[in-house]
Amino acid sequence: MDKLLLIVFAVVFLFGCSKNNNPLPKTPVTIVDRWLITADTSHQYINGVVNSTYVLAGINSPYYQFNADGTGTVKNNISEPDQILNFTYTISNNKITFTFPIQAAQPTYSYQASAIIQKLTAHTMIILFDEVEPDNTSYEFKEDVYMSR
């Protein structure tokens, strides 16, 4: 009798446990937040040959701020005083398109720039700017921006 109860208990235990067929869906990672620039690596190419390279590492707390309404700011530390630029952005697949209007820090021109999101996790984002001058196909500028929240 004890063996029969043990077998019944084992069968109920084994078949009573089921896999969770409806796991919780993963929350998509969003870029909406303030992202501190931890490193910035840039390469300038002329006729396919590296002409100059520079690396900046999070000096003076530069950041990108992406807001939920498609606006944002970037704080650069490339010159004194630090530049804080406003922009709007759109995302399609893994491409971010930035539009920088005329503003106090750049009173003479507005421009657009695009970047590819190479990595996006809950705490890390890497974007790549890869620009070719429209009137000068021999010039190319690539910039990797490493960020964390």
Side-chain angles (χ1 to χ4, degrees):
M1 184 70 167
D2 290 333
K3 289 182 182 180
L4 183 59
L5 285 175
L6 185 61
I7 291 171
V8 169
F9 176 74
V11 169
V12 170
F13 179 76
L14 289 174
F15 290 107
C17 298
S18 66
K19 288 184 177 180
N20 185 357
N21 292 332
N22 297 319
L24 294 175
K26 290 185 177 181
T27 304
V29 178
T30 177
I31 70 166
V32 173
D33 204 344
R34 178 170 287 191
W35 292 88
L36 300 177
I37 301 172
T38 56
D40 186 326
T41 304
S42 299
H43 304 283
Q44 178 189 52
Y45 298 85
I46 296 179
N47 294 322
V49 177
V50 175
N51 184 51
S52 67
T53 297
Y54 70 88
V55 176
L56 296 174
I59 301 166
N60 203 15
S61 304
Y63 63 82
Y64 277 87
Q65 172 71 47
F66 293 96
N67 302 319
D69 64 357
T71 63
T73 54
V74 60
K75 176 186 174 192
N76 291 322
N77 59 349
I78 56 177
S79 61
E80 288 292 331
D82 292 340
Q83 288 184 347
I84 297 180
L85 304 174
N86 298 310
F87 60 84
T88 58
Y89 71 95
T90 57
I91 298 177
S92 178
N93 296 322
N94 64 337
K95 180 179 178 181
I96 305 175
T97 302
F98 296 89
T99 301
F100 290 88
I102 293 175
Q103 46 200 310
Q106 296 173 329
T108 57
Y109 66 98
S110 63
Y111 64 96
Q112 274 195 331
S114 295
I116 301 297
I117 301 172
Q118 293 182 314
K119 180 179 182 179
L120 178 60
T121 69
H123 303 288
T124 304
M125 181 165 50
I126 302 171
I127 60 175
L128 169 65
F129 292 93
D130 188 357
E131 300 172 10
V132 176
E133 288 289 323
D135 299 330
N136 184 359
T137 57
S138 66
Y139 176 85
E140 184 177 15
F141 178 78
K142 292 184 179 186
E143 177 181 19
D144 290 303
V145 181
Y146 300 82
M147 295 177 266
S148 67
R149 348 182 177 220

